[in-house]
Amino acid sequence: MPSGLDTLRRATRAGLAPLALATLVAGCQALPAADAPGGAEDDPMAGAPPVTRGLDAEGLAGLLTAELAGQRGDYRRATLGYLAATERYGSAALAARAALAASFSSDPDLLARAAGEWQRLAPDDEPPSRLLAGLAIQRGDWPAALEQRLRLVERGGESDLAAFVESALAEGADPVPLLARLRDHLARTGPGARRHDAELATALLEVAAGDNDAARRRLERLGQSAPELPALWLTRARLAQESGNHAGARDAARRGLNVSPGDARFILLIAQSELRLGNVAAAEAQTDALLDDHTGNHELRLALARLYLDEGHPEPARRLLLPLVDAPDTPPMAFYLLGAIAEAEGEVDNALLYYRQVAEGNEFLAARLRAAEMLIADDRLLDARAFLRIERLRHEASFSDLVSLEVELLEREGLTAEADDLLDRELDRTPNDEQLLYLRAMRAWEQRDLEAMERDLGRIIERSPDSAMALNALGYTLADLGLEERLEEAREMIERAHELEPGNPAILDSMGWVRFRLGDPEGALPWLERAYATLPDQEIAAHLAEVLWALERRDEARQLVREALERFDDRPVLDELLERLPELAP
């Protein structure tokens, strides 16, 4: 499912002309030539829509400033310039250009503002709706994302509501408000394919909300009115599986396969149902047939192997994976899964061989972690450390990650001194390794050694003045400690970090927290609200609740704490807050 941002970029590249300043200012010699460094060929906004009318001197100056800011990579300034021009001229094309500029910044709030202006001026355009839906998903606002999707559907656009609902539920969305909105949508929707999609999405939400009877009736009606719909049988099969009715899931998947012959989704569902019914041979017959139709498809073979492993059948999984080992382009995941199978069967050395063959990429660190954990569990800590040391020599690009991994494992074993020694030794060899300096700084903070933490973070900032991570970490620490003589210094560091990464929720949290420490809860509140909307986190929740409490908004503070206690299992900052302010407990 493409994001709104992907849609926007595709739309602009598909045929919307670049802004031709030369047509606005004939003979302007100050602009860079197309073949000059930073010229039009390097301009990521080169696909944005043109400005073609209504420019006066002030408007032209603003557009020139915005355009040049974009070419210099100052996308925030470019966005603000285009938004000012949008307000001045009421142009949807300018709003689209503002949205494109904002998409290259790191400020989701600015992007939402630009996309909102675009949608206001061109309510029938799909890209702003898709963009706003994607932004809502990023901040976990599923009702707002659904609203944007329904806006597309109601204007004749395509939007896979069933897939959207599946994603929302997988991310823990509350089904009740989504269900109410979809039922309202269905009450105003006529027959057709779009209604079928909305019916399926509604059935999924009804199941999630515990209204299984309503979902069953809805799917039965849909089976009578649209039995040729593959998504219907796919949904019925999945719902049957989730309820433990594996025979029913198999039957629904078979009906779907009749409707859509060769559809791999139904074959996989049949195989999974057979496995859960204990019919391993029948499942293998299904997967073998699928592989015969997709010869050479490594990804499919891997997916099938995972299916067997998930269902507790390692031997069929191994048979599926072994042919990949002899292939010239063996996927790293194949070695990883073979290692996991060997490990589960107690073949430690064999598993180690497989894990070591996982190339650098997505599974690389996970493989080294599992291998080291396996050796430690086999009472071979020295072998685990030797393995990781050799891996650091073999994979220089992953040196810092592998050191960090060993530090974590030693800490887990209660060997704090050994972890500290390892980190100090490796930093003596590579004194400017910022990842290891940051790790040591965080460990120093955990040990309440502010001096050591500040020393390492200061070294990072000295070498990399634009390290938003280090600036924020040090500024936040000083603010959190409440050292009055250093609060202004903390604020300056955090504001520098915010300038570098204006959309980073951790920095937004710091911006609010330092203001609270400076005695300005009113000024802290909007920063913390933005941070929590972007990243619902127990620490940000604790900060926001404390600020609401200080502002005498007691009911809101207690409600937030109640929700956070239900949402987060690990909540040290929230627990500490409740120890200090027991009145906050719901």
Side-chain angles (χ1 to χ4, degrees), residues 1 142 160-173 178 182 197 200-202 204-205 208 231 234-236 238-239 242 265 269:
M1 179 178 65
W142 295 100
D160 194 341
L161 294 173
F164 167 80
V165 164
E166 284 187 317
S167 298
L169 294 174
E171 292 295 325
L178 303 181
L182 266 178
D197 179 39
L200 289 170
T202 305
L204 291 170
L205 289 169
L234 194 64
T235 303
R236 291 185 69 164
R238 287 173 175 169
L239 291 178
E242 289 173 10
R265 297 172 300 174
L269 279 166

Side-chain angles (χ1 to χ4, degrees), residues 55-79:
L55 293 174
D56 56 13
E58 184 178 347
L60 177 58
L63 282 172
L64 282 167
T65 300
E67 178 69 15
L68 293 173
Q71 290 188 8
R72 290 194 305 269
D74 187 352
Y75 299 116
R76 179 176 180 79
R77 187 176 183 186
T79 304

Side-chain angles (χ1 to χ4, degrees), residues 413-488:
E413 295 299 306
L415 302 172
T416 299
E418 286 85 344
D420 289 337
D421 289 344
L422 170 65
L423 202 47
D424 290 342
R425 185 170 61 251
E426 296 302 342
L427 274 168
D428 285 342
R429 294 172 51 202
T430 57
N432 296 320
D433 189 312
E434 293 186 7
Q435 181 176 334
L436 296 185
L437 282 170
Y438 188 83
L439 175 60
R440 189 167 68 177
M442 294 302 100
R443 289 176 60 79
W445 167 240
E446 291 171 1
Q447 297 162 14
R448 294 298 183 261
D449 188 346
L450 177 61
E451 182 180 351
M453 175 190 181
E454 188 169 1
R455 182 172 58 248
D456 283 338
L457 290 178
R459 285 173 61 183
I460 296 174
I461 294 168
E462 182 180 356
R463 286 185 52 81
S464 303
D466 290 342
S467 174
M469 178 180 66
L471 287 165
N472 183 60
L474 184 53
Y476 172 79
T477 300
L478 295 175
D480 197 48
L481 289 171
L483 302 174
E484 291 188 15
E485 69 277 9
R486 302 195 67 182
L487 284 176
E488 279 300 326

Side-chain angles (χ1 to χ4, degrees), residues 298 321-335 338 357 359:
H298 293 353
L321 292 168
L322 285 175
L324 295 177
V325 173
D326 297 327
D329 54 346
T330 305
M333 180 58 79
F335 289 122
L338 285 166
Q357 293 180 78

Side-chain angles (χ1 to χ4, degrees), residues 17 291 479:
L291 286 170

